[in-house]
Amino acid sequence: MSPLLTHLTNLEDATSRFPSRVAFKIPQVNPQTDEIDHWKDITFQEFLLDIEHLARYWFHVLNETSGIPQRSVIGLCLGGYKYIDIVHVYAISRAGYIPQLVNIFQNADYSVIQGSIEQGNTRAFIYESVYSDTVRDIPQIPRFTTVTVVHPNDYPLPDLPHVTGSDIAIIYQTSGTTSGTSKIVPCNYTWLDGNVRKMMSHLDPGKPDIVSWCGSTGYMAQFGGVIGIIYRTSCMVQYRSGQPSTAEIVDNINRCQTRLLFAYPLYLREYIRASRTDPETLRALSSVDSIIYIGGGLGSDEDEEWAWKNGINLVNSYGKTECGRLLLSEGLRKSRQNYLKRLPGPSLIKFIPISNDSDLLELVVPPEAPECPHVSLRSSDGSYHTNDLFREVEPGSYVFCGRSDDWFNMENCCLCDTRAIEDNARTLCGDIISDCVVVGNGRPSPVLVVEASHRNVSPALNFESELKTEIYRRICPFHTARYPHERIDSPDMIFIVPLGTLPRTVTKATVKKKVIEEMMKERLDLLFSGNA
């Protein structure tokens, strides 16, 4: 049996092949101008040495000083958007421990992470200082702040402990996109080996690129992205902030010669819409090889049409924290339809009809698939059910149709596609709304909750009435063609809320549908009682 491949063996192999190739570009900000003067280059050899130096340091702190044995779970609470964050994740692994990535927002209450720590049996906690208020209430666990600069040291580099495929390698958590409640995702070495080999099966190791940051290091998308980037010995460019502005994206492309961008749909929509009025933004976005958007659909046919007509090569990607990347489109430059397809190479994932009379398919990962997550996350049949729905529009080509949560069972027991309603509203009303979400599960009909796009306008009665009327005027033709139980059939079925009030996940900025459903319960009760 071949040895298990990991993120560490992946890096060691890349470094042995191209030690002097640049792995990271780190922005250097001028304190006088507050602008980026230049980017500091870090080679693969330097990256590996930084990991080993930090592994020596943390093994000394955790094992030799605190008596915490190897193979213990060490919580890591990082900002997630800096080079030193990636070094920390790799260093804790290299020191022989199990990194547990914990994601929170500043000033969060300890209760936000309490469940993750208890579920993970966390033995120590390493955190960035901005999270001090949250972690001070962690009971009976040694706590340490992260280092900001890696210094060489003379501490011994420990041997890696022996592990088997069933042993846990790293623990992540979901973002709580749908329910608002995250859960831990333990990943064993068999799973990690499968994800490394999957990258090897569909990426060309001899074709390096300059690539943007993928997202927070605390989430699987960035971890998986780094594995692929290291395998190709590509260079990753760090942003100066977590979610870059359009101006920073353009500057990054122009000065770093970035060829591949990663973006969440919410931010990508902003970049594309800026390109409609700013020729420099359009030139920059159309100059890159690909823009891979992750974390959900783009949500606007109009934005995708603009991108296609103007040479912006959008590539649709589908993955799960629990499984890694599973599907990828060919990009708008190859196909206007941009359908999702299985990754090249052997694939064991399945698309299973949700019922005999439906063309909706659930993506299911069987237990024999290398992407199948830990047994604690599987269903009683042994498979992992994603609860994500697709349609096969051509043989081997799929369209994402949302999560099962996006398909409400209405009062008459018929299904309603809430995602289609949301996407239509975003497309037709993108200039007057910030975002929207559909609620009304189990009600006679759906209700559209809309964030007003104007920061300085209070939701006064006259403003609400005018905005509802205009939104309804635009979306009415779409709803006229839908079944009665799927329609927004009057302005009263549109709720207006101020900008920034819909609860969202920290990283993807995805609205939390179930949380909003509960928030709107009284208004929904009032509406459907006839007393609104």
Side-chain angles (χ1 to χ4, degrees), residues 433-444:
I433 70 173
S434 170
D435 208 347
C436 62
V437 64
V438 171
V439 296
N441 192 21
R443 306 283 184 166

Side-chain angles (χ1 to χ4, degrees), residues 327-343:
L327 303 169
L328 193 69
S329 74
E330 295 178 316
L332 285 178
R333 288 181 189 156
K334 287 190 176 181
S335 169
R336 171 63 188 91
Q337 288 73 31
N338 217 16
Y339 295 141
L340 289 165
K341 300 176 182 290
R342 297 169 188 260
L343 298 176

Side-chain angles (χ1 to χ4, degrees), residues 85-118:
D85 297 335
I86 294 181
V87 176
H88 266 90
V89 176
Y90 274 65
I92 293 301
S93 290
R94 181 58 190 86
Y97 293 94
I98 304 170
Q100 178 188 1
L101 280 295
V102 178
N103 303 289
I104 54 174
F105 49 90
Q106 291 186 32
N107 303 315
D109 188 79
Y110 168 61
S111 61
V112 174
I113 63 173
Q114 181 177 0
S116 296
I117 292 175
E118 292 175 352

Side-chain angles (χ1 to χ4, degrees), residues 252-265:
N252 187 287
I253 293 170
N254 291 339
R255 291 207 280 161
C256 295
Q257 302 301 303
T258 305
R259 305 307 306 159
L260 176 64
L261 291 179
F262 292 89
Y264 289 112

Side-chain angles (χ1 to χ4, degrees), residues 152-189:
N153 56 71
D154 296 325
Y155 300 127
L157 183 66
D159 293 332
L160 285 169
H162 173 74
V163 294
T164 65
S166 61
D167 289 326
I168 301 302
I170 190 168
I171 300 173
Y172 273 85
Q173 70 180 55
T174 63
S175 62
T177 297
T178 306
S179 65
T181 304
S182 62
K183 62 179 182 293
I184 67 166
V185 179
C187 307
N188 62 30
Y189 279 93

Side-chain angles (χ1 to χ4, degrees), residues 363-377:
L363 194 156
V364 176
V365 184
E368 62 271 18
E371 302 94 344
C372 196
H374 191 265
V375 64
S376 64
L377 302 172

